[in-house]
């Protein structure tokens, strides 16, 4: 990512300006925001520096975002030269992501395939599923399709728990507030 004395501020202003251009600046007033209790703005502001540091530290050149929402993380990464792709199920969020100019496909993240991940080495997601049963299914599928990829996860709930249950099948470590996960080669799921 581009770095200078004000890189965090510049990156944030770029994304917010783009969101205002598409009329998404009032997201915090929606029912969706009230239900999830986390706005994409709040998430982005809080984690922008961590995400930028992660990309720099890990030398990320490409990134798939599973459950990418309105594509804010993808937009920030794309604007800084990273090849990106996102998957999202909500048509409204896909509409906004496409307005930002990021490549997003409509797909249930529980049904991600090896083919969906082709050409990308890094998978990113931030707690796309709150339901523990769905998180288990998501992780079980991800274990099958993401061998050889690096997974960066930011969250606190079901997905973290599902990976922790499989700690003998994955290499996990924390890096700058993110869980970095790689599926071990000898795993048969």
């Amino acid at each position: 990512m581009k770095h200078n004395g004000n890189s965090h501020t510049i990156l944030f202003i770029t994304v917010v300006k783009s969101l205002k251009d598409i009329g998404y600046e009032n997201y915090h007033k929606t029912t969706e925001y009230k239900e999830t209790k986390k706005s994409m703005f709040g998430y982005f502001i809080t984690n922008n520096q961590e995400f930028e540091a992660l990309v720099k530290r890990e030398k990320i050149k490409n990134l798939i975002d599973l459950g990418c929402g309105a594509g804010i993380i993808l937009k920030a990464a794309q604007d800084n030269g990273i090849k990106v792709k996102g998957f999202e199920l909500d048509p409204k969020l896909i509409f906004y992501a496409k307005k930002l100019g990021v490549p997003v496909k409509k797909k249930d993240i529980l049904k991600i395939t090896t083919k969906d991940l082709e050409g990308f080495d890094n998978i990113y997601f931030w707690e796309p599923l709150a339901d523990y049963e769905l998180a288990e299914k998501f992780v079980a599928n991800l274990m099958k399709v993401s061998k050889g990829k690096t997974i960066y996860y930011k969250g606190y709930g079901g997905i973290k728990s599902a990976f922790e249950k499989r700690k003998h099948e994955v290499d996990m470590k924390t890096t700058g507030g993110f869980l970095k996960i790689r599926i071990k080669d000898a795993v048969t799921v």
Side-chain angles (χ1 to χ4, degrees):
M1 295 192 130
K2 297 175 186 172
H3 293 280
N4 62 37
N6 296 319
S7 62
H8 303 301
T9 305
I10 291 169
L11 184 59
F12 175 68
I13 289 171
T14 301
V15 173
V16 170
K17 181 180 183 296
S18 298
L19 289 175
K20 284 185 178 179
D21 289 344
I22 63 170
Y24 211 65
E25 74 274 17
N26 291 320
Y27 179 74
H28 66 283
K29 297 177 184 173
T30 66
T31 303
E32 180 182 3
Y33 169 78
K34 291 174 186 170
E35 289 173 3
T36 61
K37 296 182 183 171
K38 291 219 180 237
S39 76
M40 288 183 293
F41 283 176
Y43 167 71
F44 189 75
I45 293 166
T46 304
N47 294 292
N48 181 31
Q49 291 178 339
E50 288 178 5
F51 179 74
E52 189 171 333
L54 173 78
V55 168
K56 182 180 178 186
R57 181 177 51 255
E58 299 292 323
K59 297 178 175 66
I60 293 174
K61 303 269 188 250
N62 59 60
L63 185 73
I64 286 183
D65 189 343
L66 301 179
C68 66
I72 294 172
I73 291 292
L74 292 175
K75 177 67 174 163
Q78 184 180 56
D79 285 351
N80 286 278
I82 297 171
K83 175 183 169 188
V84 299
K85 178 164 109 178
F87 292 99
E88 177 57 51
L89 196 54
D90 185 329
K92 181 172 62 174
L93 294 175
I94 293 169
F95 169 81
Y96 290 119
K98 287 185 175 183
K99 284 278 199 172
L100 286 176
V102 294
V104 177
K105 293 187 178 183
K106 182 175 182 180
K107 184 148 191 172
D108 183 341
I109 63 170
L110 295 172
K111 298 176 182 175
I112 293 297
T113 66
T114 304
K115 184 174 175 136
D116 293 325
L117 304 176
E118 283 179 2
F120 288 83
D121 303 314
N122 303 286
I123 302 167
Y124 167 84
F125 50 89
W126 175 74
E127 205 64 59
L129 301 164
D131 180 278
Y132 278 79
E133 189 175 317
L134 290 177
E136 276 291 328
K137 290 178 182 177
F138 173 71
V139 168
N141 183 55
L142 204 54
M143 298 275 296
K144 292 176 191 173
V145 301
S146 66
K147 288 186 179 139
K149 314 274 184 211
T150 302
I151 300 166
Y152 297 97
Y153 164 65
K154 181 81 170 175
Y156 48 83
I159 292 173
K160 182 177 180 183
S161 176
F163 274 119
E164 287 172 344
K165 287 179 187 176
R166 293 167 172 83
K167 61 184 170 189
H168 63 285
E169 300 173 85
V170 297
D171 291 319
M172 288 192 313
K173 69 178 185 178
T174 302
T175 177
F178 293 83
L179 195 57
K180 180 178 178 179
I181 305 160
R182 287 193 55 92
I183 312 303
K184 292 181 181 176
D185 290 334
V187 174
T188 52
V189 183

